[in-house]
Amino acid sequence: GNNNDGVDGATILVRALKQQGVEYMFGIVGVPVIEVGMAAQAEGIKFIAMRNEQAASYAASAIGYLTRKPAVCLVVSGPGLVHALAGMSNAMENCWPLIVVGGSCDQDQEAMGGFQEYSQVEAARQYSKFSARPSSIDKIPYFIEKAYRTSTYGRPGPCYIDMSGDMIMGKVQEEKVRYLPPCPPPPAVFADPDKIKDAIDLITYAEKPLVIVGKGAAYAQAEDEIYSLVVDTKLPFLPTPMGKGVLPDTHELCVSAARSRALQEADLIILLGARLNWMLHFGAPPRFNPKVKIIQVDISLEEMGNNVMPAIALPGDITSVVKQLNEELHRRPGQFKFNQKAPWWNTLKGKIEANQKNVQAMSQDVTVPMNYYAAYSEVQSAIPQNSLIVNEGSNTMDIGRTMLPNLLPRHRLDAGTFGTMGVGLGFALAAAIWCRDYQPNKRVVCVEGDSAFGFSGMEIETMARYRLPVIIVIFNNNGITFGLKDEMWENAEQSGDLLLTVPPTALQPNTRYEKLIEAFGGKGYFARTKSELKKSMEAAVRDTKNASIINVMIDPMSQRKTQEFFWLTKSNL
Ligand code: ADP
């Protein structure tokens, strides 16, 4: 705090964060950051004390994605920071803003084997756009402003600020501290107007155009501009997993259910905030038309031409560039070669309908234990349509993408670009706090595979402590991708050393995960049939006070429906 001998580093740090607009700090306190956590609350920064830095770093990064304003993850020295590298690398891969603040051993113990001494600035550098220790206590606000700005400008990403114990406790005279004004939101970046015209020419003459909407578009909050581009021109669109909801999944122009065909045949792709990485098969044949032309919109110039050289590169922020495209479209209301009478639209429509029939048949299957589709159809019909969905697991996530439609932008959080398992509980916690503060009455539904849940399951205590009524649904198939049926388990037990006979994919069968939440005052449900699941879901939705767990038994051998191509499966093992 403040007194005659001056103001301490912890207080300067949190004041600087507050001035930049930081609202939430997630973390775990200990030596030397206890004072930082306390100072944060004293300055009105909400502190969420979690159970593992890994989950805390995921949670903080989710706030950055949902709001475009980075949250802070506060960690202790050494191992505390090492755990948070998980969230930093995940945020880096997802292009999400995040500020990690790590306590570190006193500077006069450095190189002496100090308590939890570790080369933290160096360790964090690979996962940060900016990683530094303030050069002096009075300059802390300068470093915080730079971290905030670097994290949100250009391609967003994490930044790291190192605070040695002596800087946290050390004091300077108040007048010596120069606070900086809040960093404004990133300036608008527009594309070359001539290239905008060229892009509209390509759109006008394309026979098989396709708009791909990525999570960069969701992050950019470009939903209104993209809506008018797609709807005015009647262009088919395909969301990536977290691009879902920028335009409603239920829109007639959404071709998610004909994804493979749309990618394979499109002759023009308008790529809005999505990278041609593994998730989009590198933009390469046979998954893509070898002659496809790409109009690439991205804030990062370095991204242009990664794997496929775009026909037209439109660097800039999506909101500004799509606005430019819309203005040019309105200047010359022309005839587009593509329309909904075009043969390609018929092909896509046909695929969509066939796919929907397939899914419907599997959804209605009443076999016990349930298949994923049968279970998901009950989850989907019980939850409010505006729910924020968190989803991870292997089959659980792949099928969840299809079965849980998103009608609103930034309402799906999943394993993302890095394919990270274990993000779910942290994401759900952050989402529930954000909903509590900005979207009251909206529910967070966290659908986890049983393995995915295990990574950070103890965060249910954090949810209970802060009274966050997250609905956690565990799709329990006794393992990773598939588990053992009861008789197979008996076999494994009888045929020798369990360490040699239990497959690495198997988890303890029939685990009653729902009982865990009861230790913290929440309600648990066990569902083996569609009707049990329906009742449990409805009860959990009615409970607006506590977190719930619905443990859903899934056939250990149940898989995704057969795919023309295998998609997004490599990542999840
Ligand atoms: P997805 O996983 O949905 O395919 P990616 O994470 O691969 O999406 O791609 C997101 C892209 O969006 C990144 O290349 C990033 O640079 C870009 N991006 C982020 N914010 C903006 C923005 N405001 N304007 C334009 N592009 C952005």
Side-chain angles (χ1 to χ4, degrees), residues 65 68 92-96 152 154-156 186 189 212-222 239-244 271-280 296-301 303 314-321 414 416-417:
Y65 174 63
R68 290 174 69 103
M92 193 74 156
E93 294 303 314
N94 275 347
C95 313
W96 290 358
T152 50
R155 172 181 276 174
V189 188
I212 295 183
V213 184
K215 68 174 166 308
Y219 175 77
Q221 306 192 353
T240 65
M242 277 194 260
K244 270 160 59 73
L271 191 63
L272 304 177
R275 285 167 286 182
L276 293 173
N277 56 14
W278 66 275
M279 292 181 97
L280 285 167
Q296 188 172 9
V297 183
D298 203 292
I299 194 75
S300 160
L301 272 170
E303 190 60 37
L314 300 177
D317 66 88
I318 300 178
T319 310
S320 309
V321 174
D414 66 21
T417 306

Side-chain angles (χ1 to χ4, degrees), residues 343-397:
W344 196 48
W345 185 248
N346 265 328
T347 314
L348 293 178
K349 267 276 166 234
K351 269 269 155 200
I352 291 171
E353 279 157 21
N355 233 328
Q356 283 167 346
K357 271 213 191 92
N358 250 332
V359 165
Q360 213 165 27
M362 287 185 291
S363 302
Q364 285 160 357
D365 183 354
V366 291
T367 312
V368 177
M370 286 177 275
N371 77 57
Y372 286 95
Y373 295 85
Y376 261 122
S377 69
E378 297 304 334
V379 172
Q380 194 261 326
S381 55
I383 62 176
Q385 287 209 322
N386 67 355
S387 300
L388 206 151
I389 309 283
V390 178
N391 198 193
E392 63 170 340
S394 79
N395 286 314
T396 301
M397 182 170 73

Side-chain angles (χ1 to χ4, degrees), residues 9 22 43 57 82 119 123 140 142-143 165 214 226 248 282 302 374 387 481 503 569:
V22 169
E43 293 296 320
S57 60
V82 169
S119 52
I140 291 171
Y142 178 90
F143 281 76
I226 296 176
F282 312 105
E302 291 90 331
S387 300
T481 312
T569 44

Side-chain angles (χ1 to χ4, degrees), residues 170-181:
K171 290 186 172 176
V172 293
Q173 288 307 315
E174 183 87 79
E175 321 73 77
K176 271 197 76 187
V177 187
R178 196 164 57 90
Y179 290 100
L180 275 90

Side-chain angles (χ1 to χ4, degrees), residues 16 35 56 64 83 133 146 150 157 159 168 260 318 336 369 428 430:
E35 286 74 13
H83 294 167
R133 174 187 292 171
K146 183 163 170 126
T150 308
C159 290
I168 291 172
S260 294
I318 300 178
F336 300 108

Side-chain angles (χ1 to χ4, degrees), residues 426-445:
F427 281 179
L429 192 112
I433 288 166
W434 177 74
C435 285
R436 185 201 72 160
D437 289 353
Y438 292 101
Q439 308 267 312
N441 307 323
K442 186 172 280 186
R443 299 307 294 270
V444 174
V445 181

